[in-house]
């Protein structure tokens, strides 16, 4: 029989769900898995119909990180570079997309899988979920996951995860800011869709501008950040939907977005 696709993409009501679909391999981010995920993220991304992307997974493990079998041959430096470079491309792509990306986590997310969660704009997790960067235990320090982790968590929390490999529970991840919400497993789909549908009520063009500006200013010093965002607020007012939103508010009606 033909092999199951490594990722499955479905879309309805403005929400695209991308499912990591290799539970037998713990949804490892092999080179083919990363290629498939990139394709699904980029597919028709400028469509007015696409408003939110949700990344979910089949099986008890959300994502176990890189496929260690791909990294076992110490002489294949070219292949190893290709894996890590594509992974970095996918992680940065998530923040460059014009729509919000939500991680819907139900299970264990380790190493580059934890990096994937940290790279998403929003993360909703079930109570049974756990997050870890255990590479140090097998002699491969999670240096690339540390990029996303160090930008999502307080430094000392991130370093404890990286130095020990010990997992964070879902509630610890929430307390430290790695995830946005923690809910019972049977409420995970409902809560993720609630957030997605709320996002779908807003203008795509306004959200795209806002997301791009958020990531641009967050790495700047305070004065530079305000210079960037002051200009963007003015630019926002030149958008058709920027004016439509203000007019609708003044006229006490619901805005009609052009996106």
């Amino acid at each position: 029989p033909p092999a199951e696709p490594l990722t499955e993409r479905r879309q309805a009501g403005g929400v695209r769900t991308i499912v990591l679909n290799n539970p037998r391999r713990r949804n490892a981010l092999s080179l083919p898995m990363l290629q498939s995920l990139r394709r699904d993220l980029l597919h028709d991304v400028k469509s007015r119909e696409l408003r939110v992307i949700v990344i979910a997974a089949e099986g008890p493990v959300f994502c176990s990180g890189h496929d260690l079998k791909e990294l076992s041959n110490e002489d294949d430096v070219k292949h190893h570079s290709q894996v890590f470079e594509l992974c970095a491309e996918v992680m940065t792509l998530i923040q460059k997309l014009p729509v919000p990306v939500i991680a819907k986590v139900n299970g264990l997310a380790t190493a580059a899988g934890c990096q994937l969660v940290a790279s998403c704009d929003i993360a909703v997790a079930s109570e049974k979920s756990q997050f870890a960067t255990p590479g140090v235990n097998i002699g491969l320090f999670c240096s690339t996951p540390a990029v996303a982790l160090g930008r999502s968590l307080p430094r000392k929390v991130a370093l404890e995860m990286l130095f020990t490999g010990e997992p964070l529970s879902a509630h610890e991840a929430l307390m430290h800011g790695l995830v946005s919400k923690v809910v019972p497993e049977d409420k995970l789909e409902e809560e993720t869709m609630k957030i997605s549908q709320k996002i779908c009520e807003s203008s795509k063009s306004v959200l795209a501008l806002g997301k791009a500006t958020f990531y641009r200013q967050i790495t700047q010093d305070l004065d530079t950040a305000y210079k960037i965002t002051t200009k963007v607020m003015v630019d926002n007012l030149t958008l058709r939907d920027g004016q439509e939103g203000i007019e609708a508010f003044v006229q006490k009606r619901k805005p009609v977005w052009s996106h």
Side-chain angles (χ1 to χ4, degrees):
E4 290 285 320
L6 291 174
T7 61
E8 290 185 349
R9 183 185 73 243
R10 53 181 182 263
Q11 188 167 323
V15 182
R16 173 179 300 166
T17 300
I18 301 171
V19 181
L20 306 183
N21 188 41
N22 193 12
R24 286 178 295 178
R25 297 291 299 153
R26 296 161 63 89
N27 294 314
L29 294 178
S30 63
L31 190 61
M33 173 71 90
L34 286 165
Q35 291 167 337
S36 186
L37 178 57
R38 179 177 61 180
R39 279 195 301 272
D40 285 346
L41 287 168
L42 286 172
H43 177 78
D44 205 14
V45 74
K46 294 183 179 179
S47 166
R48 284 178 50 178
E49 304 306 313
L50 176 63
R51 314 299 300 288
V52 186
I53 294 174
V54 174
I55 299 177
E58 283 290 340
V61 176
F62 175 78
C63 180
S64 61
H66 291 294
D67 186 340
L68 295 179
K69 287 187 176 180
E70 282 191 328
L71 308 178
S72 59
N73 185 347
E74 63 184 16
D75 297 323
D76 196 0
V77 174
K78 183 177 179 181
H79 180 76
H80 298 168
S81 296
Q82 190 179 6
V83 170
F84 290 119
E85 286 168 6
L86 179 57
C87 185
E89 180 187 336
V90 169
M91 300 300 169
T92 54
L93 170 63
I94 287 170
Q95 296 181 357
K96 293 175 182 176
L97 293 173
V99 296
V101 180
I102 303 173
K104 175 187 164 188
V105 187
N106 188 29
L108 185 63
T110 62
C114 188
Q115 179 186 5
L116 179 58
V117 176
S119 298
C120 289
D121 304 311
I122 297 171
V124 185
S126 68
E127 291 173 328
K128 74 176 188 181
S129 298
Q130 289 187 304
F131 306 86
T133 48
V136 67
N137 298 329
I138 59 165
L140 183 64
F141 196 86
C142 287
S143 292
T144 45
V147 174
L149 214 62
R151 285 161 169 75
S152 295
L153 292 168
R155 183 175 300 181
K156 288 179 174 58
V157 177
L159 286 171
E160 183 179 343
M161 289 181 69
L162 292 160
F163 290 159
T164 68
E166 288 297 302
L168 289 184
S169 70
H171 287 288
E172 287 172 325
L174 176 65
M175 178 174 67
H176 294 304
L178 181 59
V179 302
S180 322
K181 286 194 174 180
V182 173
V183 296
E185 184 178 1
D186 62 356
K187 299 289 185 185
L188 182 60
E189 173 69 16
E190 177 185 333
E191 187 60 36
T192 305
M193 288 308 299
K194 180 180 175 182
I195 296 169
S196 300
Q197 287 162 1
K198 183 62 180 174
I199 291 170
C200 287
E201 293 176 8
S202 297
S203 161
K204 179 173 182 175
S205 55
V206 170
L207 281 174
L209 178 63
K211 175 175 172 175
T213 305
F214 177 86
Y215 286 113
R216 185 178 163 209
Q217 63 83 23
I218 200 68
T219 59
Q220 305 296 322
D221 64 81
L222 194 63
D223 288 341
T224 304
Y226 272 118
K227 285 178 182 176
I228 290 169
T229 53
T230 296
K231 182 181 184 303
V232 171
M233 292 292 285
V234 175
D235 293 342
N236 196 154
L237 288 170
T238 68
L239 295 179
R240 186 187 304 175
D241 282 350
Q243 288 300 314
E244 165 62 14
I246 292 173
E247 289 173 11
F249 178 81
V250 171
Q251 296 169 10
K252 298 182 179 179
R253 60 174 175 82
K254 191 174 180 179
V256 179
W257 305 122
S258 66
H259 307 297

